[in-house]
Amino acid sequence: ELKVEQNPLFLSMQEGKNYTIYCNYSTTSDRLYWYRQDPGKSLESLFVLLSNGAVKQEGRLMASLDTKARLSTLHITAAVHDLSATYFCARTTSGTYKYIFGTGTRLKVLA
Amino acid sequence: EAQVTQNPRYLITVTGKKLTVTCSQNMNHEYMSWYRQDPGLGLRQIYYSMNVEVTDKGDVPEGYKVSRKEKRNFPLILESPSPNQTSLYFCASSFGGGRGYNEQFFGPGTRLTVL
């Protein structure tokens, strides 16, 4: 079964702290995506990870991909309130153009 | 401005009354897709289209139809809506499909309530 699991589902953290969101997937994937959704809003693309060992960084967010472990991580450095949102990982299945999304991680950064 | 538009943004309807949610993109994207978002379930893909006249089922296609007669438009049709189709719907588009760099651009969403 094709699955994408994120953890934690909810994360409340203090400003200035570091934390990591994990995204595990069940079968070989072409590529891995991270999206952000603000409350009541649409989704915004953050990162596309194309190959094993890929690492991308934008501001306080860094995403990485380990295809052997079937794991992607989204690391938050020195969190600020503006990062409060729900973060989704997603993958495409090899040989098709289907997208499978994780259930999301709701992040709340407390001042 | 590059964008994906959806209409309507909000819709309340009754069981069995056919409806169409429109989706349009102005970025000349080949790939378009429909998702529904439900609490605790993330986004689930309903249908997708690789190009004009090419569509395929996602994970939850039952009760929905789509068509892709023009590259820019990808309407979602509910022939006989039921309460379990109450959800938040997103349309998205991207270059290519699952190949190449292909971040998806999402529309603003359509909140549908079926009574």
Side-chain angles (χ1 to χ4, degrees), chain A residues 30-31 33 35 37 40-46 48 50 56 88 92 95-104, chain B residues 31 35 37 40-43 45 48 50 57-59 88 90 94 97-104 106-109:
Chain A
D30 280 343
R31 52 188 51 85
Y33 311 83
Y35 291 89
Q37 184 179 36
K41 303 289 187 183
S42 186
L43 281 83
E44 172 191 359
S45 176
L46 293 174
V48 181
L50 301 177
K56 289 197 174 179
F88 292 95
T92 44
T96 76
Y97 305 103
K98 282 186 174 183
Y99 283 81
I100 308 292
F101 276 75
T103 50
Chain B
Y31 187 90
Y35 299 90
Q37 184 176 22
L41 296 177
L43 275 79
Q45 192 172 37
Y48 61 94
M50 289 301 299
K57 297 177 181 178
D59 271 351
L88 178 59
F90 288 102
S94 70
R99 303 183 185 282
Y101 179 72
N102 58 337
E103 62 175 349
Q104 289 189 90
F106 281 80

Side-chain angles (χ1 to χ4, degrees), chain B residues 33-89:
Chain B
S33 182
W34 276 103
Y35 299 90
R36 61 178 289 174
Q37 184 176 22
D38 301 289
L41 296 177
L43 275 79
R44 292 179 292 167
Q45 192 172 37
I46 303 171
Y47 271 96
Y48 61 94
S49 170
M50 289 301 299
N51 214 321
V52 175
E53 303 291 3
V54 181
T55 63
D56 206 348
K57 297 177 181 178
D59 271 351
V60 288
E62 295 78 19
Y64 304 94
K65 285 176 60 177
V66 293
S67 68
R68 187 94 181 269
K69 295 190 172 82
E70 304 167 281
K71 198 172 186 180
R72 64 183 293 128
N73 296 323
F74 190 44
L76 179 70
I77 303 155
L78 284 73
E79 295 267 2
S80 183
S82 62
N84 65 11
Q85 293 178 298
T86 293
S87 188
L88 178 59
Y89 291 86

